[in-house]
Amino acid sequence: VVTLVRGELSYKSRLTLEAIQVIDNNTKDIVHGKIENKINDVNYFEWISHLIYYTEKDDIKVKIIKKTLSYGFEYLCSSTRLVITPLTDRCYRTLMIAKQMNRGGIIEGPAGAGKTETVKDLAKALGIYCVIFIGSEELDSKATAKFFKGIASVGAWCCFDEFNRIDLEVLSVIASQILMIQQALTIEQSVFHFTDEDVILNPLCGINVTMNPGQIGRTSLPDNLKTLFRPCVMTCPDYALIAEILLYSNGFY
């Protein structure tokens, strides 16, 4: 594959091969780690702490720890993939457990830590479309209501980037909107009443947020909003590992 990447390729073919290389390097490192640590049981944490795909009848299940989600089968076209590091794996576990509990994930960390890209890449791994929504002071509850209706009905994931930039009054309303969706997911409704109309509910939908709490001008989240999410803190990633795998996926070895 590396030889192919070094040759003449179309843009889409090159993207596909680079993504295959990134995924292949991650799986190779996982297998080598299991061999070195003599992991011979599928119930060991070192094995179940990674995303694992299983076929069950006519469906594909994605498992991590003891949490299982159905694969979304969304066509995402040729796109790049995120280099998986131990920090990324920890964030994956938090988001998967949160989704299994019909909650969202809230990722905190400095700029450049890969918070938003991690949410996007996990959605790709699950075959689910992910929409990035940038939070701002001008955002109002009517706009978020329309956005949540679309997310809930099509079964997509959303990632509110810079969530704590939104005004505190709007955040309180957003908390009640998210709670409506999570309660409908918990009781497995196919149609639920949201704001002023009935909305079809796709159980694959998910709401995650990212925030940089240390930045000036950011508001603290209200308590009724914090309870709807599982927290995860991302610090500086392993840039040496990321650079090594990206260079290899681009034909350097």
Side-chain angles (χ1 to χ4, degrees):
V1 176
V2 176
T3 305
L4 288 174
V5 172
R6 293 168 67 93
E8 293 293 331
L9 292 170
S10 65
Y11 176 72
K12 289 185 178 180
S13 298
R14 185 173 298 279
L15 276 181
T16 302
L17 289 177
E18 289 175 2
I20 290 173
Q21 282 289 85
V22 170
I23 297 171
D24 182 64
N25 270 279
N26 178 50
T27 53
K28 179 192 68 176
D29 291 341
I30 292 174
V31 172
H32 284 178
K34 305 302 174 284
I35 295 172
E36 291 176 0
N37 296 322
K38 298 181 180 180
I39 305 300
N40 54 12
D41 191 333
V42 294
N43 294 315
Y44 279 23
F45 180 79
E46 289 80 1
W47 173 252
I48 64 175
S49 61
H50 303 282
L51 288 176
I52 306 172
Y53 297 81
Y54 295 93
T55 56
E56 295 184 4
K57 297 181 180 179
D58 296 330
D59 196 11
I60 296 177
K61 299 293 185 180
V62 186
K63 297 183 179 180
I64 190 167
I65 313 295
K66 295 296 182 181
K67 308 303 178 184
T68 304
L69 294 177
S70 295
Y71 189 76
F73 293 100
E74 180 73 32
Y75 177 67
L76 301 173
C77 196
S78 299
S79 59
T80 57
R81 292 301 299 270
L82 191 69
V83 175
I84 306 299
T85 64
L87 182 64
T88 312
D89 270 329
R90 182 163 59 86
C91 186
Y92 280 4
R93 290 193 289 270
T94 301
L95 293 177
M96 286 285 285
I97 292 171
K99 176 56 184 169
Q100 186 74 15
M101 297 169 60
N102 295 317
R103 291 290 183 266
I106 179 168
I107 308 175
E108 302 180 15
K115 304 183 294 295
T116 305
E117 291 301 321
T118 300
V119 177
K120 287 171 59 179
D121 197 74
L122 178 58
K124 289 179 185 178
L126 297 174
I128 299 173
Y129 185 68
C130 184
V131 182
I132 308 300
F133 198 97
I134 308 297
S136 66
E137 296 84 353
E138 292 78 20
L139 192 65
D140 59 19
S141 57
K142 291 183 179 179
T144 58
K146 293 179 181 179
F147 182 69
F148 286 140
K149 288 176 186 177
I151 292 295
S153 59
V154 302
W157 275 22
C158 75
C159 179
F160 271 95
D161 200 13
E162 299 295 342
F163 194 56
N164 51 344
R165 288 179 57 188
I166 304 172
D167 288 337
L168 189 60
E169 294 80 6
V170 180
L171 284 175
S172 297
V173 180
I174 290 176
S176 63
Q177 294 172 346
I178 295 175
L179 181 61
M180 290 181 193
I181 297 174
Q182 292 181 352
Q183 287 177 337
L185 288 170
T186 302
I187 60 179
E188 299 180 353
Q189 287 183 306
S190 57
V191 178
F192 73 109
H193 190 76
F194 185 79
T195 58
D196 57 349
E197 61 180 308
D198 291 336
V199 178
I200 297 173
L201 180 63
N202 189 316
L204 291 177
C205 69
I207 300 169
N208 302 286
V209 303
T210 67
M211 54 185 288
N212 185 354
Q215 199 164 354
I216 299 174
R218 301 295 186 261
T219 58
S220 59
L221 299 184
D223 291 336
N224 64 331
L225 189 56
K226 291 180 181 178
T227 58
L228 306 178
F229 298 94
R230 282 183 63 90
C232 178
V233 177
M234 292 190 71
T235 55
C236 293
D238 188 345
Y239 291 114
L241 176 63
I242 294 172
E244 179 184 345
I245 294 177
L246 286 180
L247 286 171
Y248 183 73
S249 67
N250 281 274
F252 295 90
Y253 64 94

